[in-house]
Coordinates of all heavy atoms in Angstrom, one line a residue:
A209 N 176.0 60.2 34.9 CA 176.7 59.1 34.3 C 177.2 59.3 32.9 O 177.7 58.4 32.3 CB 175.8 57.8 34.4
G210 N 176.8 60.5 32.4 CA 177.2 60.8 31.0 C 176.3 60.2 29.9 O 176.7 60.2 28.7
A211 N 175.1 59.7 30.3 CA 174.2 59.0 29.4 C 173.1 60.0 28.9 O 172.2 59.6 28.2 CB 173.6 57.8 30.0
A212 N 173.1 61.2 29.4 CA 172.1 62.2 29.0 C 172.8 63.5 28.9 O 173.8 63.8 29.5 CB 171.0 62.2 30.0
S213 N 172.2 64.4 28.1 CA 172.8 65.7 27.8 C 172.2 66.7 28.8 O 171.2 66.5 29.4 CB 172.4 66.1 26.4 OG 171.0 66.4 26.2
R214 N 172.9 67.8 28.9 CA 172.5 68.9 29.7 C 171.2 69.5 29.2 O 170.3 69.9 30.0 CB 173.6 70.0 29.7 CG 173.3 71.2 30.6 CD 173.2 70.9 32.0 NE 172.9 72.0 32.9 CZ 172.6 72.0 34.1 NH1 172.4 70.8 34.7 NH2 172.4 73.1 34.8
A215 N 171.0 69.5 27.9 CA 169.8 70.0 27.3 C 168.6 69.2 27.7 O 167.5 69.7 28.0 CB 169.9 70.1 25.8
D216 N 168.8 67.9 27.8 CA 167.7 67.0 28.2 C 167.3 67.2 29.7 O 166.1 67.3 30.0 CB 168.1 65.5 28.0 CG 168.1 65.1 26.6 OD1 167.5 65.8 25.7 OD2 168.7 64.0 26.3
A217 N 168.4 67.5 30.5 CA 168.1 67.8 31.9 C 167.3 69.1 32.1 O 166.4 69.2 32.9 CB 169.4 67.8 32.7
L218 N 167.7 70.1 31.3 CA 167.0 71.4 31.4 C 165.6 71.2 30.9 O 164.6 71.8 31.5 CB 167.7 72.4 30.6 CG 169.1 72.9 31.2 CD1 169.8 73.8 30.2 CD2 168.8 73.6 32.5
S219 N 165.4 70.5 29.8 CA 164.0 70.2 29.3 C 163.1 69.5 30.3 O 162.0 69.8 30.5 CB 164.1 69.5 28.0 OG 164.7 70.2 27.0
A220 N 163.7 68.5 31.0 CA 163.0 67.7 32.0 C 162.6 68.6 33.1 O 161.5 68.5 33.7 CB 163.8 66.5 32.4
H221 N 163.6 69.5 33.5 CA 163.2 70.4 34.7 C 162.2 71.4 34.2 O 161.3 71.8 35.1 CB 164.5 71.1 35.1 CG 164.3 71.9 36.4 ND1 164.2 73.2 36.5 CD2 164.1 71.4 37.7 CE1 164.0 73.6 37.7 NE2 163.9 72.5 38.5
K222 N 162.2 71.8 33.0 CA 161.2 72.7 32.5 C 159.8 72.1 32.6 O 158.8 72.7 32.9 CB 161.5 73.2 31.1 CG 160.4 74.1 30.4 CD 160.7 74.4 29.0 CE 159.6 75.3 28.4 NZ 158.4 74.5 28.2
D223 N 159.8 70.7 32.3 CA 158.5 70.0 32.4 C 158.0 70.1 33.9 O 156.8 70.3 34.1 CB 158.8 68.5 32.1 CG 158.0 68.1 30.8 OD1 157.4 69.0 30.2 OD2 158.1 66.9 30.5
V224 N 158.9 69.9 34.8 CA 158.5 70.0 36.2 C 157.9 71.4 36.5 O 156.9 71.5 37.2 CB 159.7 69.7 37.1 CG1 159.4 70.0 38.6 CG2 160.2 68.3 37.0
L225 N 158.6 72.4 36.1 CA 158.1 73.8 36.3 C 156.8 74.1 35.7 O 155.9 74.7 36.3 CB 159.2 74.8 35.8 CG 160.5 74.8 36.5 CD1 161.5 75.8 35.8 CD2 160.4 75.1 38.0
D226 N 156.6 73.6 34.5 CA 155.3 73.8 33.8 C 154.2 73.1 34.5 O 153.1 73.7 34.7 CB 155.4 73.2 32.4 CG 156.2 74.0 31.4 OD1 156.4 75.2 31.7 OD2 156.6 73.5 30.3
F227 N 154.4 71.9 35.0 CA 153.3 71.2 35.7 C 153.1 71.8 37.1 O 151.9 71.8 37.6 CB 153.6 69.7 35.8 CG 153.4 69.0 34.5 CD1 154.5 68.2 34.0 CD2 152.2 69.0 33.9 CE1 154.3 67.5 32.8 CE2 152.0 68.3 32.7 CZ 153.1 67.6 32.1
D228 N 154.2 72.3 37.7 CA 154.0 73.0 39.0 C 153.2 74.3 38.8 O 152.3 74.6 39.6 CB 155.4 73.3 39.5 CG 155.4 73.7 41.0 OD1 154.3 73.8 41.6 OD2 156.5 73.9 41.6
L229 N 153.4 75.0 37.7 CA 152.7 76.2 37.5 C 151.2 75.9 37.2 O 150.3 76.6 37.7 CB 153.3 76.9 36.3 CG 152.6 78.3 35.9 CD1 152.8 79.3 37.0 CD2 153.3 78.8 34.6

Side-chain angles (χ1 to χ4, degrees):
S213 67
R214 181 64 179 168
D216 287 344
L218 289 174
S219 295
H221 190 254
K222 177 180 176 297
D223 248 5
V224 173
L225 295 178
D226 285 343
F227 286 124
D228 195 353
L229 182 62

